[in-house]
Amino acid sequence: MPQGKRTPLYDWHVAHGATMTGFAGWDMPVWYPTGAVAEHRTVITNAGLFDTSHMCAVSISGPDAFDLLQLCVTKDLNACVGATKRPLQPGDGVFGAYLNERGELIDDTILYMIAQGAYLSVVNAGHGREIAEHLKANRGGRDARVEEISHKVGKIDLQGPLSAKVLKKVLNDPLTVLSDIQYFGFKGYFEEQQQPSDVRLIDGTPIMLSRTGFTGEFGFEILVSRDRLLSVWENILPAGQDQGLIACGLAARDSLRAGGMLPLSHQDMGSWPFINNPWTFVLPFDDEGKSFTKKFVGDVVLAERERAEHTYAFVGYDPRKVSGKGLSVVIDSGGNEIGVVLTCVSDMAIGLSSGRIFSISSPDKPRDFKPGGLSCGFVRVRTALAIGQEVELRDSRRTIKVRIVDDVRPDRTARRPIHDMLRDKEELK
Amino acid sequence: MIDTSQLILPDDLRYGEDHEWARLEGDKVRVGISDYAQQQLGDITFVELPNVGDSFEKGQQFGAVESTKAVSDLFMPIGGEILEVNQAIRETPELVNQAPYGGGWMILVKPTRVDEFDELMTKDAYRDMVGRTE
């Protein structure tokens, strides 16, 4: 295997016994000696720290930056935040996608509004340049500057229900920072020449703290200047010892996100029409769900609804998996091959009891509950399926029976109010 | 890349090319997977085992071991009849990671030909083989 690119934490990962793997051109930790199952479960019960510095960041700024993004990002940026669908404002992040002219995915993104006329789009590893080029190609006469800044940014994800308690120990003035941070909200900035940061670690390091993540659990993505990445990592990890914080690799990230119903770009969504999938909430549907509230690159996808294939989540009956990435087929009850498996992993924090899925964090789980694990993931099929319907997944080795579902791991914490996640509520007053 | 000198490889076992181990216990042979195999697989989440009474030849697949990373076939290091399977690893597959030569054993075999045991690798020969593949 050719040597991949290395994040500033590469030496740390190797020194701490990580098993490394190639991912999107990077050498990344897949798990540490703790093991992927323990890492997965720790994020659900405690907290885990992930190196996600292989991801890319694109800065979009200028008087017409908003117009350019409104043209290229699927979400209607005038109506996308919270239940009231208010416009994007400084301090807001939003999950959206970039589509091409055919309505097929180029990449997904979390788009942050840093200030008036200043935005940051975090996209997947290896896709920064492509997104920057896509934005420039659609810029026309707009006054907007587009710059890939991946090389300047490091990113660490702190995920799990005890994440806020870990942050309390490392942040300067933590209660001011944490007390009102909403799901998909962010504070601070990582690079002060452009934007003074109101979030710092105790040692003074400016950070951008975003209440987002890719696990389905409560937590944060922390953006820092790339040259401060190692120091921030080594600051947070020991601080979280009392909370059981451990370093986690890409295997746990993959199984957590699949159980959390989150798509992996270029695997669960890709070069096919972005419609008829569990993530169409990123499209700017009107209240009736029939048309879009704006014009944007890729809006032709609306016309594909009748003929496009369907993507569904599934869950199995035990942890046995089949191959993903299109290497397994989906078979309906009539024995017809109807599609392919996009992702198939095992969520080792869940299990079935009396026909219902429980998680190790379910408050009402049976007393003797043991999380034996369930396979889960996403399939893409030619015919519409009903929630609850059974299909078979088959690869060269085995056939497994699974159920089409609209949710996998129960009792996830991602959206829990921040107040619930800090034990001593009076500290927030 | 692993340091093969760090592998735990008990003296009294013999090793097969597919990373199974075999231990002679009287006229029976107990079988599992090596420390190297469990390290390579990562966390084991499920083990598929044969039925008691099944017979296999040396080199035939008798089951599969599944980890967070992959599914790997299990091959008989010695031909024979399955006398016992380890029920504990059905419930607690992590035993294979924690104690590959102890509580994580897989099958107990009545060998067809005991001399097949002597044809398996010693720990030094096995360590050399792993070193060449690493």
Side-chain angles (χ1 to χ4, degrees):
Chain A
M1 194 169 69
Q3 185 184 310
K5 288 186 275 189
R6 297 175 171 186
T7 78
L9 296 176
Y10 176 87
D11 289 341
W12 191 96
H13 301 317
V14 171
H16 289 78
T19 298
M20 305 297 286
T21 192
F23 180 83
W26 292 81
D27 280 347
M28 298 299 290
V30 62
W31 57 71
Y32 298 87
T34 341
V37 172
E39 291 168 19
H40 177 106
R41 290 175 181 160
T42 300
V43 169
I44 291 168
T45 56
N46 295 69
L49 203 61
F50 298 81
D51 177 10
T52 52
S53 299
H54 57 314
M55 293 181 71
C56 294
V58 178
S59 156
I60 305 100
S61 57
D64 298 332
F66 178 88
D67 282 351
L68 177 58
L69 290 164
Q70 184 72 323
L71 176 68
C72 292
V73 175
T74 53
K75 272 273 171 81
D76 185 343
L77 304 178
N78 277 321
C80 63
V81 179
T84 57
K85 291 198 169 186
R86 66 167 170 77
L88 196 70
Q89 293 170 2
D92 292 331
V94 67
F95 179 56
Y98 294 97
L99 307 183
N100 64 21
E101 294 286 352
R102 296 184 298 280
E104 301 162 351
L105 185 91
I106 306 173
D107 205 7
D108 62 356
T109 186
I110 294 180
L111 178 69
Y112 296 101
M113 184 168 181
I114 307 299
Q116 206 64 42
Y119 300 82
L120 183 72
S121 178
V122 174
V123 298
N124 285 284
H127 292 276
R129 180 184 294 179
E130 186 181 14
I131 291 303
E133 293 305 319
H134 175 70
L135 286 163
K136 286 175 189 170
N138 284 284
R139 188 162 44 183
R142 291 180 187 83
D143 184 2
R145 182 175 150 85
V146 176
E147 186 190 4
E148 189 191 353
I149 56 165
S150 309
H151 58 286
K152 297 181 186 171
V153 189
K155 187 161 88 70
I156 293 170
D157 292 9
L158 172 61
Q159 300 280 293
L162 303 188
S163 297
K165 288 175 190 161
V166 174
L167 282 179
K168 257 166 64 178
K169 297 183 179 172
V170 296
L171 286 176
N172 184 37
D173 196 6
L175 298 180
T176 304
V177 173
L178 294 173
S179 60
D180 58 352
I181 194 163
Q182 301 290 320
Y183 185 49
F184 268 86
F186 76 95
K187 292 184 178 184
Y189 203 64
F190 53 89
E191 204 261 284
E192 296 204 280
Q193 281 164 336
Q194 193 180 338
Q195 183 77 22
S197 182
D198 51 1
V199 182
R200 289 170 192 285
L201 301 186
I202 290 167
D203 71 6
T205 306
I207 66 169
M208 175 170 159
L209 183 67
S210 168
R211 221 197 108 180
T212 47
F214 195 48
T215 61
E217 300 303 325
F218 175 84
F220 300 87
E221 292 181 271
I222 300 166
L223 283 81
V224 298
S225 168
R226 210 165 176 90
D227 56 3
R228 302 299 294 270
L229 189 76
L230 180 61
S231 118
V232 172
W233 177 272
E234 289 188 324
N235 191 336
I236 296 175
L237 199 55
Q241 203 173 8
D242 292 347
Q243 278 73 37
L245 178 68
I246 56 169
C248 298
L250 289 187
R253 185 168 156 89
D254 196 33
S255 51
L256 284 159
R257 67 94 190 167
M261 290 291 291
L262 300 170
L264 181 59
S265 208
H266 314 288
Q267 183 166 310
D268 299 315
M269 42 200 212
S271 54
W272 57 87
F274 186 88
I275 197 85
N276 301 342
N277 66 44
W279 313 290
T280 49
F281 57 83
V282 307
L283 294 173
F285 280 113
D286 63 10
D287 289 341
E288 292 178 351
K290 285 182 180 163
S291 54
F292 291 151
T293 55
K294 68 167 187 179
K295 291 187 86 62
F296 63 99
V297 179
D299 59 8
V300 295
V301 80
L302 192 62
E304 297 291 322
R305 269 210 277 199
E306 296 304 316
R307 54 177 177 266
E309 295 187 317
H310 299 258
T311 300
Y312 296 103
F314 68 86
V315 64
Y317 294 90
D318 65 38
R320 274 177 286 186
K321 304 182 288 286
V322 293
S323 307
K325 301 177 184 175
L327 297 172
S328 304
V329 294
V330 183
I331 296 158
D332 70 9
S333 55
N336 308 301
E337 212 178 288
I338 56 169
V340 294
V341 178
L342 304 169
T343 286
C344 185
V345 296
S346 297
D347 187 325
M348 294 304 292
I350 60 175
L352 279 170
S353 181
S354 310
R356 192 185 133 187
I357 302 174
F358 291 91
S359 147
I360 47 173
S361 65
S362 295
D364 56 346
K365 64 180 185 282
R367 198 167 293 171
D368 58 349
F369 177 71
K370 187 173 178 295
L374 298 174
S375 60
C376 61
F378 302 102
V379 294
R380 184 156 60 97
V381 294
R382 286 185 287 279
T383 51
L385 299 172
I387 300 302
Q389 194 171 337
E390 274 187 341
V391 292
E392 288 183 334
L393 312 182
R394 181 176 298 163
D395 66 8
S396 56
R397 184 187 302 274
R398 61 161 62 128
T399 302
I400 62 172
K401 190 173 277 190
V402 303
R403 216 159 22 103
I404 299 300
V405 292
D406 56 7
D407 204 4
V408 180
R409 188 172 68 247
D411 304 302
R412 296 195 300 274
T413 53
R415 294 165 187 267
R416 290 268 297 276
I418 185 83
H419 284 72
D420 286 1
M421 310 315 273
L422 290 156
R423 184 178 292 131
D424 307 313
K425 288 186 180 176
E426 63 275 17
E427 291 180 26
L428 286 169
K429 285 174 187 165
Chain B
M1 198 71 185
I2 64 149
D3 180 356
T4 56
S5 69
Q6 298 296 312
L7 290 174
I8 299 167
L9 300 172
D11 289 326
D12 61 323
L13 306 184
R14 292 295 178 92
Y15 301 86
E17 287 175 5
D18 300 302
H19 308 287
E20 286 79 21
W21 57 259
R23 179 189 285 127
L24 198 57
E25 297 179 0
D27 59 352
K28 300 165 191 168
V29 173
R30 198 174 296 272
V31 172
I33 64 168
S34 73
D35 185 34
Y36 174 75
Q38 69 81 18
Q39 282 188 33
Q40 290 295 301
L41 285 162
D43 283 355
I44 288 159
T45 55
F46 202 88
V47 186
E48 284 183 1
L49 294 170
N51 295 315
V52 170
D54 289 352
S55 285
F56 300 94
E57 288 176 24
K58 178 184 165 100
Q60 259 194 309
Q61 186 187 342
F62 71 88
V65 60
E66 176 149 0
S67 71
T68 53
K69 178 167 97 175
V71 188
S72 289
D73 294 333
L74 295 165
F75 299 101
M76 295 291 278
I78 187 166
E81 182 190 337
I82 307 295
L83 296 174
E84 276 181 50
V85 300
N86 186 358
Q87 296 295 343
I89 59 174
R90 290 199 160 138
E91 274 289 299
T92 314
E94 56 267 35
L95 282 172
V96 180
N97 293 117
Q98 291 159 0
Y101 306 112
W105 68 276
M106 291 180 174
I107 51 173
L108 188 67
V109 182
K110 182 182 171 189
T112 318
R113 286 175 41 220
V114 177
D115 56 343
E116 279 182 346
F117 180 82
D118 299 318
E119 295 163 11
L120 292 166
M121 283 178 272
T122 62
K123 69 167 190 175
D124 292 332
Y126 176 67
R127 196 189 302 276
D128 286 349
M129 187 198 86
V130 170
R132 285 193 300 274
T133 53
E134 272 290 308

